[in-house]
Amino acid sequence: MKSSTLCKVLPAEPTTQKNTIMNKYLRLCKGLSLAFLFMLMGGIAFGQATVTTDKEDYSPGMYVIVTGTGWEPGEIVDLDFHETPQVCTNDHHERTTLADENGNIYYDEFLINEKHLGVHFLLTATGRSSGFVATTEFTDGNMRFTTSGLPSGINVTVNYSSPLGGLENSITFSTSGSGNSSNIGITNSNNFYFQFPSTIINGSDIYTLVSTNPTSPVVSTPSAITITGTYELEGGSGGLTVTAPECAQGGSFTITYNPPTGNAVTETQTTPFSFTAKKNTSYSITSIDGTVNGNTYTGLTEINGTTPNTNDYSVTVTLEYEDETPPVINTTAGSLDATLECDDAAGLTAALAAIPEATDNCDESVSATLSSDNTTNGSCSNEYVRVRTWTFTDLAGNTSGTFTQTITVEDNTAPVIDNTAGDLDATVECDDAAGLAAALAAEPTATDNCDPTITATLTGDNTTPGSCANEYVRVRTWTFS
């Protein structure tokens, strides 16, 4: 609740209103001493009239509750709600209320709308009879910023935007006092983007932004949202991280670091290693030399770290492996695919022996890993599709994309009939029962390139009568599958 400010409007010369008040009190106080009368008039002129609101900040849909004390009982008090910036052009912000028998006022019909977002209000209350004037202020904003982890007296500038609302601006606030920024009005359900400074320097101390809560963007709501940026003093973890030359695998390295005083120190260390650091001082590691994979790597750096203002402690230097590039597959996609006949054993062996290749920016050789091998049967027993998938991973754990080989095995060769055409034909006398039985028992045979067992199927058996009753021609037809 904001505190109010009072001023008493007094004309330079006596006015009719003042004379009326004076005459009234002369009638009421007839017989009192003149000194007491003037003291009583002075109390009227400088009464403690106040006006306040129930909140400092409102959201759309809320009513502002106005209260006050010290007004002339029964007088009309004008309420003027002045906007900055002005969003209304009519006079609907001019309201009135009536002081009760105790000089108290109450008004609860001023509604905050969406259009008021971001508006600062100056409420002026003026007593029509007493001439008292009291003011208070409030806002309609639903976003504000604050920080955590920073000392008092730091100025923080936050950039923010709301594209749908056409808003792009920045706001600067101090970590002293409330530590909060002023309120920013954003239309409900809009994305609100913001960016705190990534680092803040205060003397020799460097503070690093580690998180914001909530994160950007945040969707605005009618309720107020406080966004907190959390900072930590750099070096507070007690360590300096050094990025090694690309492809350095670790091991023994020559590391040069500069203490705050004296000459540079060069040591051959197996990282991580430690040295004693003094409080609130800076150290820098300027070079790293090492031999990896038969090659000599020399990296120049300016890796700086400042210890916090605490007791002496040990700083650990960690050498990181810098290789974020995955292996590159050299084998052309589809080049290892094969379509084979089911009896092509040599072709199948060659296809299964084929393996893709890849190169890496750091590893001299990387091997393929068969990550999947799946077979799907075809419509025939000897047909199938086999899909094999490989990936490549280097020593840094970077994994390539996948390489896929598809082997398709088909059976496109029909069985071959072993019999010569006509060698099962027979001409017998009508009374040659044994010859007819032998002819009917005879069946052709066939062989296949893939199937060891072939099935003969009688697909036709047709008889045509001859010129005599006992004569006929019988034709039988087979297929093989």
Side-chain angles (χ1 to χ4, degrees):
M1 184 180 293
K2 289 268 189 175
S3 61
S4 61
T5 305
L6 166 71
C7 62
K8 178 66 171 73
V9 179
L10 292 176
E13 299 295 334
T15 64
T16 302
Q17 180 185 7
K18 185 174 181 180
N19 290 335
T20 301
I21 296 173
M22 183 181 294
N23 291 335
K24 178 174 67 173
Y25 277 93
L26 284 172
R27 290 194 299 271
L28 292 174
C29 305
K30 187 174 182 179
L32 296 176
S33 69
L34 184 62
F36 181 77
L37 178 62
F38 278 122
M39 181 176 67
L40 180 63
M41 288 179 61
I44 295 171
F46 297 98
Q48 297 299 311
T50 65
V51 65
T52 58
T53 58
D54 61 321
K55 297 180 184 295
E56 294 183 2
D57 184 74
Y58 295 85
S59 300
M62 301 177 67
Y63 282 90
V64 179
I65 298 178
V66 180
T67 58
T69 62
W71 301 92
E72 184 175 301
E75 76 167 326
I76 297 174
V77 179
D78 294 314
L79 304 175
D80 177 69
F81 297 84
H82 180 72
E83 304 171 336
T84 303
Q86 185 175 357
V87 296
C88 297
T89 57
N90 53 31
D91 61 353
H92 81 280
H93 287 352
E94 296 177 357
R95 312 293 175 88
T96 61
T97 187
L98 188 67
D100 63 15
E101 66 274 12
N102 297 316
N104 299 324
I105 61 172
Y106 181 87
Y107 185 81
D108 61 359
E109 298 181 13
F110 189 80
L111 176 65
I112 299 296
N113 297 312
E114 282 277 350
K115 61 187 175 184
H116 293 137
L117 282 169
V119 172
H120 173 273
F121 288 92
L122 173 63
L123 170 58
T124 302
T126 305
R128 290 188 183 181
S129 300
S130 65
F132 292 144
V133 177
T135 63
T136 190
E137 301 174 359
F138 62 92
T139 57
D140 177 21
N142 53 347
M143 295 290 179
R144 67 178 180 178
F145 298 106
T146 190
T147 61
S148 173
L150 293 177
S152 179
I154 302 295
N155 289 329
V156 180
T157 298
V158 180
N159 297 316
Y160 62 87
S161 65
S162 181
L164 289 180
L167 177 66
E168 185 172 357
N169 209 335
S170 63
I171 190 169
T172 300
F173 61 96
S174 174
T175 56
S176 300
S178 68
N180 301 322
S181 71
S182 57
N183 292 284
I184 303 167
I186 303 296
T187 303
N188 190 27
S189 299
N190 276 1
N191 280 338
F192 182 67
Y193 297 83
F194 57 88
Q195 179 61 59
F196 283 81
S198 58
T199 58
I200 293 178
I201 299 175
N202 181 37
S204 60
D205 294 332
I206 301 175
Y207 294 88
T208 302
L209 179 69
V210 293
S211 66
T212 63
N213 185 27
T215 58
S216 178
V218 61
V219 178
S220 60
T221 66
S223 301
I225 298 176
T226 299
I227 302 170
T228 303
T230 300
Y231 287 83
E232 286 185 357
L233 180 65
E234 186 174 292
S237 63
L240 303 178
T241 298
V242 181
T243 300
E246 185 179 8
C247 306
Q249 306 279 327
S252 180
F253 287 84
T254 301
I255 299 179
T256 302
Y257 61 93
N258 294 332
T261 59
N263 298 325
V265 177
T266 299
E267 296 180 348
T268 299
Q269 298 279 359
T270 300
T271 57
F273 76 99
S274 299
F275 62 91
T276 301
K278 300 298 182 181
K279 65 181 181 180
N280 202 26
T281 54
S282 297
Y283 293 82
S284 64
I285 298 176
T286 55
S287 67
I288 306 171
D289 298 328
T291 300
V292 179
N293 290 343
N295 298 316
T296 299
Y297 296 93
T298 301
L300 297 179
T301 66
E302 280 298 333
I303 307 300
N304 299 313
T306 301
T307 62
N309 192 19
T310 59
N311 295 328
D312 297 351
Y313 72 111
S314 179
V315 168
T316 299
V317 179
T318 302
L319 185 63
E320 291 187 341
Y321 176 45
E322 184 181 277
D323 176 15
E324 298 179 354
T325 304
V328 176
I329 299 174
N330 299 326
T331 307
T332 303
S335 61
L336 301 188
D337 293 350
T339 300
L340 309 166
E341 272 292 308
C342 54
D343 61 344
D344 188 358
L348 181 60
T349 300
L352 292 175
I355 296 176
E357 296 179 349
T359 56
D360 187 70
N361 62 324
C362 294
D363 288 350
E364 292 183 351
S365 61
V366 288
S367 57
T369 299
L370 184 65
S371 55
S372 65
D373 188 349
N374 300 308
T375 300
T376 303
N377 293 326
S379 57
C380 297
S381 59
N382 298 310
E383 294 183 336
Y384 60 88
V385 175
R386 185 171 179 178
V387 178
R388 301 196 296 170
T389 303
W390 289 268
T391 58
F392 297 83
T393 303
D394 62 19
L395 292 178
N398 302 307
T399 300
S400 70
T402 59
F403 182 91
T404 300
Q405 177 196 41
T406 301
I407 301 173
T408 304
V409 176
E410 299 176 340
D411 183 0
N412 295 320
T413 303
V416 177
I417 300 174
D418 300 325
N419 301 83
T420 304
D423 65 354
L424 298 186
D425 292 351
T427 301
V428 296
E429 279 292 319
C430 58
D431 60 349
D432 189 359
L436 181 59
L440 291 174
E443 287 187 358
T445 60
T447 56
D448 186 74
N449 62 327
C450 295
D451 258 349
T453 302
I454 300 300
T455 302
T457 302
L458 183 65
T459 57
D461 190 348
N462 301 303
T463 300
T464 302
S467 56
C468 296
N470 294 316
E471 292 181 341
Y472 59 87
V473 176
R474 185 173 180 179
V475 179
R476 298 194 299 169
T477 304
W478 286 267
T479 59
F480 296 86
S481 57

